[in-house]
């Protein structure tokens, strides 16, 4: 059964619904974790402070647990097709390790 994600995503219910909709029918243990990282970088070049760089990265980590091993995949594509591709990748890794 899929793991419910935290409420940190602005539209977590729709993301959870998309995740559940693309899970294969034979799924026993698959988890979705939403990750968002914000950072600010400051650089000095030739003793001159450069404009700050602001980064805002968001995506999901998929964990597929098989009988003998786990597979992991990540994507920033939160559409149904992006989630499905990440699930398939995590499953493939778990089945071939």
């Amino acid at each position: 059964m899929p793991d419910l994600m935290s409420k940190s995503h602005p539209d977590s219910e729709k993301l959870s619904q998309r995740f559940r909709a693309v899970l294969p029918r034979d799924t026993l243990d698959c988890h979705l974790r939403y990750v968002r990282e914000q950072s600010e970088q400051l650089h000095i070049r030739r003793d001159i402070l450069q404009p700050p760089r602001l980064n805002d990265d968001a995506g999901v980590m998929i964990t597929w647990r098989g009988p003998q091993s786990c597979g992991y995949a990540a994507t920033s594509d939160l559409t149904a097709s992006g989630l499905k591709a990440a699930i398939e990748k995590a499953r493939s890794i778990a089945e071939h390790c």
Side-chain angles (χ1 to χ4, degrees):
M1 186 53 123
D3 190 35
L4 295 178
M5 55 177 286
S6 71
K7 296 294 182 184
S8 62
H9 183 268
D11 203 357
S12 62
E13 188 57 38
K14 285 185 181 179
L15 183 58
S16 291
Q17 288 172 357
R18 279 195 301 268
F19 175 64
R20 288 186 191 112
V22 297
L23 282 173
R25 291 182 182 245
D26 62 343
T27 301
L28 297 177
D29 194 0
C30 186
H31 301 267
L32 167 80
R33 181 170 50 102
Y34 175 76
V35 179
R36 182 175 183 190
E37 180 178 286
Q38 296 175 310
S39 64
E40 179 178 4
Q41 297 176 351
L42 301 174
H43 295 273
I44 297 176
R45 177 179 279 155
R46 296 184 181 175
D47 292 328
I48 299 172
L49 180 63
Q50 301 298 306
R53 292 182 184 177
L54 303 175
N55 296 314
D56 188 2
D57 295 321
V60 294
M61 173 67 81
I62 304 289
T63 304
W64 181 280
R65 296 178 196 232
Q68 302 296 322
S69 61
C70 292
Y72 302 95
T75 185
S76 60
D77 182 354
L78 304 182
T79 64
S81 62
L83 295 174
K84 183 176 181 179
I87 291 167
E88 290 170 355
K89 180 70 172 176
R91 183 178 189 169
S92 175
I93 291 170
E95 291 175 348
H96 294 98
C97 287

